[in-house]
Amino acid sequence: HDLDAFLAAINEKTKLIYIANPNNPTGNFLTEAEIDGFLAKVRSDIIVVLDEAYTEFTAADERVDSFTLLNKYPNLVVSRSLSKAYGLAGLRIGYAVSNPEIANLFNRVRQPFNVNSLALASAIAVMNDDAFVQKVAENNRQELKRYEAFCQQYGLEYIPSKGNFITIDFKQPAAPIYDALLREGVIVRPIAGYGMPNHLRISVGLPEENDRLFNALVKVLNLK
Ligand SMILES: *Cc1c(COP(=O)(O)O)cnc(C)c1O
């Protein structure tokens, strides 16, 4: 995110600014100083949403202390998801933290019964299971290193990621690579829709799943 460009684009019509951090589909990351410095320059009547769907994958000492920032910026909304590190994607549940005035507005516009009771019960269970989230984050940390080593070994350029995926720049149209991987039984994510036709975003899986991707990529790209 080019935060200076965001600031320059603000006009009298601006109502909401949305920042995903770490960002999807690139995995790059804004520091707390960058976010704080940005919020200090945004008019207080503009809502800023900080989408932290991937925050659990960022090292604890690097994470933005976004809940503390809420004390300084009443126009801030922090959103989190239980679809990623917590593994509840199919249950469609997450949460936002904001000041009461904004929470009150959410309550007025949200649909009644927008979250089902199984999702709520699951959310409570996983949010009390720190060991699980730590295990997931640790697997991700280790395996992301293997992705970086793999890319370095074969001279593939990648975007350093603080999420649970890595985005590789193949320097050639990625759609045929995507198709070939699919035929090897490996599904990755084309991101041409984001203006990145030469990149693929690859989710970090378990070690054996990542091995399968590495082998498929060596075969498909004829890497030596
Ligand atoms: C996955 C994701 C979300 C959360 O989606 P859910 O509806 O909770 O599954 C939000 N923002 C970003 C950037 C994401 O990647």
Side-chain angles (χ1 to χ4, degrees):
H1 299 293
D2 182 346
L3 294 182
D4 289 331
F6 279 31
L7 288 172
I10 291 174
N11 62 27
E12 68 286 348
K13 286 193 203 154
T14 306
K15 290 186 179 160
L16 186 141
I17 299 171
Y18 199 96
I19 302 173
N21 195 48
N23 191 32
N24 182 13
T26 54
N28 54 323
F29 179 74
L30 296 164
T31 64
E32 181 160 327
E34 288 171 312
I35 299 278
D36 195 346
F38 174 75
L39 287 166
K41 292 185 197 137
V42 173
R43 285 199 323 265
S44 60
D45 64 311
I46 298 173
I47 301 287
V48 178
V49 178
L50 192 57
D51 175 341
E52 295 191 323
Y54 296 98
T55 192
E56 294 84 4
F57 298 107
T58 305
D61 59 349
E62 286 180 288
R63 265 176 229 163
V64 177
D65 189 0
S66 49
F67 293 165
T68 301
L69 287 176
L70 287 168
N71 295 323
K72 235 162 126 181
Y73 303 106
N75 55 329
L76 177 63
V77 176
V78 178
S79 71
R80 298 274 177 89
S81 174
L82 301 184
S83 294
K84 308 287 159 61
Y86 292 89
L88 298 188
L91 289 171
R92 308 255 59 86
I93 184 155
Y95 59 94
V97 183
S98 72
N99 279 280
E101 293 76 13
I102 295 176
N104 184 26
L105 292 172
F106 278 144
N107 267 331
R108 278 189 249 166
V109 297
R110 74 178 174 88
Q111 293 180 325
F113 315 116
N114 60 336
V115 174
N116 71 67
S117 53
L118 290 177
L120 282 172
S122 307
I124 292 167
V126 292
M127 289 180 79
N128 283 317
D129 192 352
D130 289 344
F132 175 75
V133 178
Q134 267 169 29
K135 188 175 104 181
V136 170
E138 180 55 22
N139 174 75
N140 189 69
R141 202 178 64 81
Q142 297 290 350
E143 294 300 304
L144 207 45
K145 272 199 235 159
R146 292 182 63 223
Y147 271 91
E148 291 175 352
F150 175 85
C151 289
Q152 282 155 15
Q153 181 184 347
Y154 291 107
L156 296 170
E157 209 169 285
Y158 62 91
I159 304 174
S161 172
K162 294 209 191 286
N164 66 341
F165 52 82
I166 189 162
T167 296
I168 298 177
D169 182 357
F170 291 96
K171 310 280 181 189
Q172 58 176 300
I177 302 170
Y178 166 79
D179 283 334
L181 286 174
L182 204 54
R183 277 190 287 274
E184 296 297 316
V186 178
I187 305 175
V188 298
R189 177 92 146 87
I191 49 174
Y194 290 85
M196 301 169 79
N198 291 352
H199 293 73
L200 291 174
R201 194 198 69 171
I202 301 171
S203 292
V204 174
L206 295 170
E208 58 275 22
E209 295 167 336
N210 299 324
D211 285 337
R212 184 158 168 193
L213 177 279
F214 296 147
N215 291 335
L217 216 44
V218 165
K219 182 173 169 192
V220 161
L221 293 175
N222 199 18
L223 297 173
K224 298 260 158 43

